[in-house]
Amino acid sequence: MSTTDTGGQLGAEPRKTFLGHPRGLVVLFFTEMWERFSYYGMRALLVLYLTQHFLFGPAEAQGIYAAYAALVYLMPVLGGMIADKYLGSRKAVIIGAVLLVAGHFTMAFEGSGGKESLTIGDTTYQIEVDGRDQNRRMFAVNGDERVQIAITPEGVSTVGAEPSAANASDAAAAAVAETTEGAAPAGTLDPATQAAPAAAAAAGFPAFTASGAYTLETTRDTQMGEPVLFLALSLIIVGVGFLKANISTVVGSLYEENDPRRDGGFTIFYVGINLGSFLATAACSYLGIKYGWAYGFGLAGIGMLFGLLTFILGQNWLEGRGGPPVPVEGRSILGVPLVPFFWIAGLVAVFPTWLLMRSHEIIETGLPWIAGVIFALVVGYTVFRLKGAERSRMLVAQVLIFFSVLFWALFEQAGSSLTLFADQSTEMPSWFNAAMTQMFNPGIIVIGGPIVAALWVWLGKRNAEPSTPVKFSFGLMFVGFGFLVLMWAAGNMANADFRVPLLFLFLTYFFHTIGELCLSPVGLSMITKLSLARVVGMMMGVWFLSSSVAHIVAGIIAKATATDTVAGVVTDRAGALSTYGSIFGTIGWVGVGVGIFLLVISPLLKKGMAGIH
């Protein structure tokens, strides 16, 4: 229903609304929905793609993912500054969207990926893996000879073989035990071939080869595949830099100061983010795992194209909000008109980003220092340039940003360690796959987001709504508790194949999502409420900078969970589950403890907010 309002300002020109909110929220809702469709559709597949297609080890794949995600959240700091000073939010969003379209479609180029070879004695076999889900099977191939194998810490076995060496009997049994109910995972007997062990040995492949008596070698497509992969990621990184902080700033600009609809508007906007994420995770994961990586990544690109068209066609509904601080006509940089200059600058920025992604260790080492300097400059500006309520509000915002780093470091395990946990240590029904587990979070938000938004309004009318610092503390406690659920499940509920029921991973995502709803949409709103109007874009960038630092921390955590794989298949399921349980337990208790500490100091932070809830 469309009505009009004055934004709470007497004498102001009536503005058209939709369901009680500025109708520009509809445009931003669908733009962000499609942008998140592309981002999360790609993210659901990325770590699995790196480990299975390019054959990066889990630790290195999670390092690449951490560096990529860190840059994704660092670039909005620059994008916010550019929009604040030169372009305005709307023009920056369009530049970012175009780069994102290019990046996501580039991801659809697979190249030849990686290849792994197994050498036993004088014979070298190529390792091939059929499938991309938990049912994938591993084969050793040499000419016309193709034998299904399993690789365990004890050695290499033909599937179903009973090695003659007495000390290898446990290894063969472990290989046979790979089979899970209703599935035929990597390392089990291929029903299509049903090759007897004796026939396999007669064909030239030994029934069992102990560890130390064979070698493995991995080669990757470094001439074309890897460079194009990092180019695609770089285009996405720079595109998000122009778009991410600025589209949230446009949402904030739709509401006047102290408009009671602001938190509800940001939560509705957040539902749009997660509706896109839910649809993408379902569709892109299904296509990517079942039919091929290029299909999943290509669909993500189509989603981003829809987002770009939505924003361009919906400009009138924004009613001029998010425009440049000073008209761009007649302005130039280095003799180049302002808007073309930043189109060129965006393309040029892709190259150094590409170099950084190819040497992602530099990001993991250097970014925390860079982020620390940026954060120190913002704090210094606040302390020395501001006074009174303006200073106290900005300082509270920065304290909450600091606590958000831990939240995101734990929450963002979803794209890395939790995805590999789903693949390696979780029972999956035949119609589901590890990438699809990332549907849980956005699905819960789509259902629960409006409920939480209504809850805040209901409590607010009764003067009982928790303050922003209290909501942040709830977020930390919930995300910590989610990991404690997996710690308990890993120690008590694993089956004979060292996999836990999918229910427990769902419960972890459920608690993480409740924590996210307490912290993330409220955090976006908090930045726009507590920040000075002249630096709100920069502060929104600093909010995303906290996620950048958090992804580096998340990468360190994720690397600690990594175990050995061959051709993307874990070789020691028992060890993998034990490692996951230990690390998840540690970070779970840390999250709960820090959340309780923040709850204790929240009255002091609320006082510093100077009347803003």
Side-chain angles (χ1 to χ4, degrees):
M1 178 183 294
S2 181
T3 59
T4 60
D5 81 290
T6 61
Q9 304 296 307
L10 294 177
E13 182 181 348
R15 296 168 54 200
K16 294 182 179 180
T17 66
F18 185 81
L19 298 178
H21 287 270
R23 64 175 186 169
L25 186 63
V26 176
V27 175
L28 300 176
F29 177 97
F30 284 106
T31 300
E32 185 71 345
M33 184 195 79
W34 285 115
E35 188 274 328
R36 293 291 87 181
F37 181 99
S38 66
Y39 178 82
Y40 283 104
M42 186 272 283
R43 191 189 81 156
L45 296 169
L46 183 55
V47 168
L48 297 174
Y49 180 58
L50 293 174
T51 55
Q52 293 186 32
H53 183 67
F54 283 98
L55 304 187
F56 290 107
E60 188 171 4
Q62 292 177 128
I64 293 171
Y65 173 79
Y68 158 73
L71 286 180
V72 158
Y73 285 94
L74 177 65
M75 286 295 183
V77 178
L78 299 176
M81 292 179 178
I82 290 170
D84 282 346
K85 189 172 182 180
Y86 299 105
L87 290 176
S89 300
R90 292 200 316 273
K91 292 184 184 298
V93 166
I94 292 174
I95 294 174
V98 170
L99 291 172
L100 282 165
V101 170
H104 283 293
F105 279 125
T106 303
M107 282 293 297
F109 177 82
E110 295 183 15
S112 60
K115 299 184 182 299
E116 193 133 35
S117 60
L118 167 70
T119 300
I120 301 176
D122 296 329
T123 305
T124 297
Y125 301 86
Q126 293 297 317
I127 295 179
E128 295 180 357
V129 176
D130 286 355
R132 285 167 290 274
D133 58 13
Q134 284 189 330
N135 298 332
R136 57 192 188 271
R137 301 183 297 274
M138 185 187 299
F139 296 87
V141 179
N142 183 16
D144 294 333
E145 180 184 353
R146 194 170 191 261
V147 180
Q148 190 174 352
I149 62 171
I151 300 179
T152 67
E154 290 78 13
V156 182
S157 302
T158 55
V159 173
E162 292 292 344
S164 58
N167 61 2
S169 60
D170 290 342
V176 175
E178 292 282 336
T179 303
T180 57
E181 185 177 352
T188 62
L189 188 60
D190 180 5
T193 56
Q194 294 290 326
F205 193 92
F208 176 78
T209 304
S211 295
Y214 65 88
T215 58
L216 292 165
E217 182 180 1
T218 304
T219 57
R220 287 190 289 272
D221 180 9
T222 58
Q223 298 300 311
M224 183 63 71
E226 278 191 36
V228 172
L229 166 70
F230 291 127
L231 173 62
L233 295 178
S234 300
L235 285 164
I236 294 170
I237 288 165
V238 177
V240 171
F242 276 99
L243 184 144
K244 185 61 179 171
N246 292 308
I247 196 168
S248 298
T249 301
V250 179
V251 175
S253 74
L254 297 176
Y255 300 91
E256 306 298 336
E257 187 175 357
N258 292 322
D259 189 329
R261 302 171 300 172
R262 180 185 290 263
D263 276 10
F266 269 100
T267 301
I268 292 170
F269 177 68
Y270 211 68
V271 170
I273 292 175
N274 287 279
L275 179 60
S277 175
F278 177 83
L279 296 172
T281 306
C284 296
S285 296
Y286 176 78
L287 290 178
I289 297 297
K290 186 171 181 63
Y291 295 105
W293 306 110
Y295 292 96
F297 292 134
L299 181 60
I302 292 172
M304 188 62 244
L305 183 60
F306 284 159
L308 172 61
L309 295 175
T310 299
F311 191 76
I312 291 174
L313 297 175
Q315 291 290 293
N316 288 339
W317 281 27
L318 297 178
E319 299 175 344
R321 302 297 174 113
V326 178
V328 299
E329 290 76 12
R331 301 177 68 193
S332 64
I333 297 178
L334 301 177
V336 180
L338 201 63
V339 175
F341 175 85
F342 284 108
W343 277 99
I344 296 169
L347 292 172
V348 170
V350 170
F351 180 67
T353 306
W354 178 78
L355 293 177
L356 284 173
M357 283 304 302
R358 297 208 69 180
S359 304
H360 59 89
E361 299 85 358
I362 296 175
I363 303 171
E364 297 171 68
T365 303
L367 182 57
W369 290 98
I370 296 172
V373 170
I374 293 172
F375 195 77
L377 290 173
V378 173
V379 173
Y381 169 83
T382 303
V383 171
F384 295 109
R385 298 289 298 275
L386 303 179
K387 295 180 180 180
E390 287 185 341
R391 179 165 60 187
S392 65
R393 290 175 182 177
M394 289 278 285
L395 285 175
V396 169
Q398 290 152 30
V399 169
L400 293 177
I401 285 172
F402 179 80
F403 277 102
S404 74
V405 171
L406 176 61
F407 175 85
W408 292 118
L410 302 187
F411 181 85
E412 289 296 344
Q413 295 300 308
S416 53
S417 66
L418 285 179
T419 296
L420 292 181
F421 177 84
D423 182 52
Q424 299 168 356
S425 301
T426 305
E427 294 180 81
M428 293 286 170
S430 59
W431 50 270
F432 210 65
N433 61 58
M436 284 182 170
T437 58
Q438 293 188 46
M439 292 168 55
F440 295 151
N441 167 252
I444 294 167
I445 285 183
V446 169
I447 296 171
I451 297 173
V452 172
L455 175 64
W456 297 146
V457 173
W458 185 81
L459 291 173
K461 291 179 179 178
R462 290 157 178 78
N463 295 318
E465 182 182 2
S467 67
T468 298
V470 171
K471 292 176 183 177
F472 270 54
S473 71
F474 290 165
L476 280 163
M477 286 187 278
F478 276 119
V479 77
F481 187 73
F483 282 110
L484 296 182
V485 169
L486 281 188
M487 177 196 71
W488 184 85
N492 296 277
M493 297 300 296
N495 63 13
D497 297 310
F498 305 102
R499 298 184 189 273
V500 303
L502 182 61
L503 171 65
F504 291 98
L505 187 56
F506 172 81
L507 289 175
T508 293
Y509 275 107
F510 174 80
F511 288 116
H512 284 191
T513 303
I514 299 301
E516 183 187 10
L517 284 170
C518 288
L519 184 146
S520 189
V522 175
L524 291 172
S525 179
M526 177 268 295
I527 293 297
T528 62
K529 287 190 294 186
L530 295 180
S531 300
L532 302 182
R534 62 182 178 272
V535 295
V536 66
M538 181 192 71
M539 284 298 294
M540 192 65 74
V542 174
W543 167 253
F544 291 113
L545 173 63
S546 70
S547 289
S548 178
V549 177
H551 276 89
I552 297 299
V553 180
I556 295 171
I557 295 170
K559 286 182 179 182
T561 68
T563 53
D564 291 338
T565 60
V566 175
V569 179
V570 68
T571 58
D572 183 3
R573 285 191 187 168
L577 183 63
S578 175
T579 300
Y580 283 124
S582 175
I583 300 300
F584 289 164
T586 299
I587 62 178
W589 286 118
V590 169
V592 171
V594 173
I596 292 172
F597 172 75
L598 179 56
L599 181 64
V600 170
I601 67 170
S602 61
L604 179 63
L605 296 176
K606 182 180 179 181
K607 183 178 179 181
M609 294 172 69
I612 294 180
H613 191 67

